[in-house]
């Protein structure tokens, strides 16, 4: 009722262990802590595993707990814990996999939650009503999976770091709502907010985003290397935008669909199509903004970025690069400009050139009809307009400037 429990053995089989008044239950063994008959129940303020290099924890059946905190768990095997309600994982290390399921909130890795085996099976799987992320590390090619079926995955104290080969997550509300979830991972295999909530990820270097989606919320991914956006999708409405920012490297676009705007920025690279095909690369309910130091699409037709019908786009190549865009329907170039490179845009419907500018490079526009506002090829050599329909100036503000038209 009032006092700690300290158990030492070559191995420990857990049935019922209760330190109701605390302060802790302390289990110490070089062998396994197990629940062979599936009836374990540890109740205490704190559960301490005090022996480095112990064996498996919960190999036959998970160890059932009702504790506030688990600390100093160091296993040469795997760990499986089922917690009744909220739990703080202060320091948990296993050579193989870690699996913690909680009926309440999980605070993961105040010091660390880590697997060290480095194999593809040495994964970390956490499920709680909500998850606060501190330090979670799966060494080598181990993966991390976080599931919050009734809440958020967050970083309230701005110290998150998820390190893994593959990262998968699912929450009902925000992922990285207070502060972005910081990652060093190769791939987000599946990331989703299933209710109303935003996703915000900060990646250390390059990342492949295989599947990332919200039901009603925005997505923001910032990476220190190339972003390969295989499938990124937001649902909802106004404000539920997609923002991808690569501070180094390219942004490779597979399929991006946004309920509102799309903003892609490659500070030191290009924005390119994942595959040379005629499939829609970007669909947006609002403005598509594309900014790169290099190419956007490219100068060859096969390299063009395909945009959904009725897209409005603002595209800027800020150093050296061309812009190549293919509108699969009507296309409005609200602003398209290069410092040193071509602008090539075609539309299967009407093309509206609101503001198209090159400092050094031709402008070639193709559409079922072309509406002209401002088109400027200051350094030439020409502006080329190609259509079977009309070239018109409906609003009376046309201005084409170039050596040759």
């Amino acid at each position: 009722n009032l006092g700690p429990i300290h158990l030492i053995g070559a191995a420990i089989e857990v049935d019922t262990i209760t330190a109701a008044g605390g302060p802790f239950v302390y289990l110490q063994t070089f062998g396994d802590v197990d629940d062979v008959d599936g009836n374990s129940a540890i109740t205490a303020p704190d559960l301490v595993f005090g022996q480095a290099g112990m064996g498996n924890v919960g190999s036959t059946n998970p160890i059932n707990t009702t504790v506030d905190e688990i600390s100093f768990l160091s296993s040469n095997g795997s760990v499986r814990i089922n917690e009744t309600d909220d739990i703080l994982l202060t320091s948990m290390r296993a050579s193989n996999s870690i699996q913690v399921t909680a009926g309440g909130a999980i605070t993961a890795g105040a010091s660390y939650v880590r697997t060290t085996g480095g194999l593809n099976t040495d994964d970390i799987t956490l499920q709680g009503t909500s998850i606060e992320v501190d330090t979670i590390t799966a060494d080598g090619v181990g993966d991390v999976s976080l599931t919050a079926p009734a809440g958020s995955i967050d970083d309230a104290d701005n110290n998150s770091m998820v390190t893994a080969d593959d990262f998968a997550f699912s929450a009902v509300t925000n992922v990285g709502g207070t502060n972005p979830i910081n990652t060093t991972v190769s791939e987000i295999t599946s990331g989703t907010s299933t209710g109303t909530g935003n996703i915000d990820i900060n990646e250390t270097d390059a990342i492949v985003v295989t599947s990332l989606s919200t039901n009603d919320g925005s997505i923001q991914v910032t990476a220190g290397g190339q972003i390969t956006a295989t499938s990124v999708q937001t649902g909802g409405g106004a404000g539920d935008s997609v923002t991808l920012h690569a501070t180094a490297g390219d942004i490779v676009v597979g399929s991006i669909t946004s309920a509102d705007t799309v903003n892609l920025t490659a500070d030191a690279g290009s924005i390119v199509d994942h595959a040379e095909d005629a499939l829609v690369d970007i669909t947006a309910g609002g403005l598509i903004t594309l900014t790169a130091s290099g190419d956007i699409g490219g100068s060859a037709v096969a390299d063009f970025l395909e945009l959904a019908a009725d897209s409005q786009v603002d595209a800027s190549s800020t150093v050296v690069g061309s812009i190549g865009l293919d509108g699969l329907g009507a296309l409005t170039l609200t602003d398209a400009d290069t410092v040193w490179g071509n602008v090539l845009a075609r539309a299967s419907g009407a093309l509206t050139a609101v503001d198209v500018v090159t400092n050094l490079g031709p402008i070639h526009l193709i559409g079922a009809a072309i509406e002209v506002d401002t088109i400027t090829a200051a350094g030439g050599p020409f502006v080329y307009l190609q259509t079977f329909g009309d070239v018109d100036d409906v609003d009376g503000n046309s201005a084409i400037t170039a050596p040759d038209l």
Side-chain angles (χ1 to χ4, degrees):
N1 286 321
L2 187 61
I5 297 173
H6 188 176
L7 305 180
I8 306 171
I12 299 175
E13 166 68 16
V14 178
D15 288 355
T16 301
I17 305 173
T18 305
F24 57 78
V25 169
Y26 190 121
L27 304 182
Q28 187 173 351
T29 180
F30 281 109
D32 293 347
V33 175
D34 206 359
D35 176 12
V36 173
D37 44 12
N39 66 346
S40 61
I42 299 176
T43 303
D46 294 332
L47 175 57
V48 181
F49 294 85
Q51 184 65 62
M54 65 189 300
N56 296 303
V57 176
S59 61
T60 308
N61 294 289
I63 302 299
N64 299 306
T65 65
T66 302
V67 301
D68 298 329
E69 181 178 355
I70 294 178
S71 60
F72 300 109
L73 195 164
S74 180
S75 166
N76 283 338
S78 296
V79 174
R80 291 197 300 163
I81 302 287
N82 278 357
E83 165 60 30
T84 305
D85 44 33
D86 297 348
I87 190 166
L88 169 63
L89 307 177
T90 301
S91 50
M92 180 178 287
R93 184 200 66 80
S95 295
N96 304 129
S97 61
I98 291 174
Q99 179 179 313
V100 178
T101 302
I106 296 176
T107 300
S111 292
Y112 56 84
V113 174
R114 183 175 186 178
T115 57
T116 59
L119 301 178
N120 196 44
T121 55
D122 298 333
D123 302 334
I124 297 172
T125 304
L126 306 180
Q127 178 173 321
T129 55
S130 63
I131 299 175
E132 168 66 18
V133 178
D134 290 346
T135 302
I136 303 174
T137 304
D139 286 354
V141 292
D143 303 332
V144 170
S145 175
L146 306 180
T147 305
S152 65
I153 298 171
D154 206 3
D155 177 14
D157 43 11
N158 198 25
N159 66 347
S160 63
M161 178 52 70
V162 176
T163 303
D165 182 24
D166 294 342
F167 182 31
F169 58 83
S170 176
V172 172
T173 59
N174 293 311
V175 177
T178 307
N179 295 289
I181 304 298
N182 298 306
T183 65
T184 302
V185 301
S186 300
E187 180 179 356
I188 295 178
T189 55
S190 176
T192 183
S193 169
T194 61
T196 300
N198 304 322
I199 295 175
D200 195 349
I201 302 292
N202 273 358
E203 165 61 29
T204 305
D205 41 37
I207 189 169
V208 176
V209 181
T210 300
S211 178
L212 197 60
S213 65
T214 64
N215 177 65
D216 185 0
S218 64
I219 290 175
Q220 180 167 316
V221 178
T222 302
Q226 176 173 298
I227 298 174
T228 302
T230 306
S231 177
V232 179
Q233 180 173 349
T234 62
D240 297 327
S241 59
V242 173
T243 302
L244 307 181
H245 182 189
T247 60
D250 297 339
I251 296 177
V252 181
V253 180
S255 175
I256 298 175
T257 302
S258 174
D260 195 9
T261 61
V262 169
N263 298 277
L264 308 184
T265 304
D267 290 344
S270 298
I271 300 171
V272 298
D273 194 349
H274 185 267
E276 294 181 353
D277 54 34
L279 300 177
V280 177
D281 297 312
I282 303 174
T283 303
L287 182 65
I288 299 169
T289 302
L290 309 172
T291 306
S293 62
D295 290 328
I296 297 172
S299 56
V301 171
D303 298 330
F304 282 13
L305 285 175
E306 283 79 30
L307 309 178
D310 301 317
S311 291
Q312 300 179 57
V313 63
D314 179 339
S316 297
S317 173
T318 60
V319 183
V320 177
S322 294
I323 295 173
L325 303 173
D326 191 359
L328 305 184
L331 177 64
T332 299
L333 303 177
T334 62
D335 189 1
D337 58 87
T338 66
V339 173
W340 192 333
N342 310 336
V343 172
L344 303 99
R346 67 179 183 181
S348 59
L351 188 150
T352 301
V354 177
D355 188 8
V356 181
V357 177
T358 63
N359 287 320
L360 187 61
I363 297 172
H364 188 174
L365 306 181
I366 306 170
I370 299 175
E371 166 66 17
V372 177
D373 288 356
T374 301
I375 304 175
T376 304
F382 57 77
V383 169
Y384 189 121
L385 304 181
Q386 186 175 348
T387 180
F388 283 106
D390 293 343
V391 176
D392 204 358
D393 176 12
V394 173
D395 43 13
N397 64 346
S398 60
I400 300 177
T401 304
D404 293 329
L405 174 57

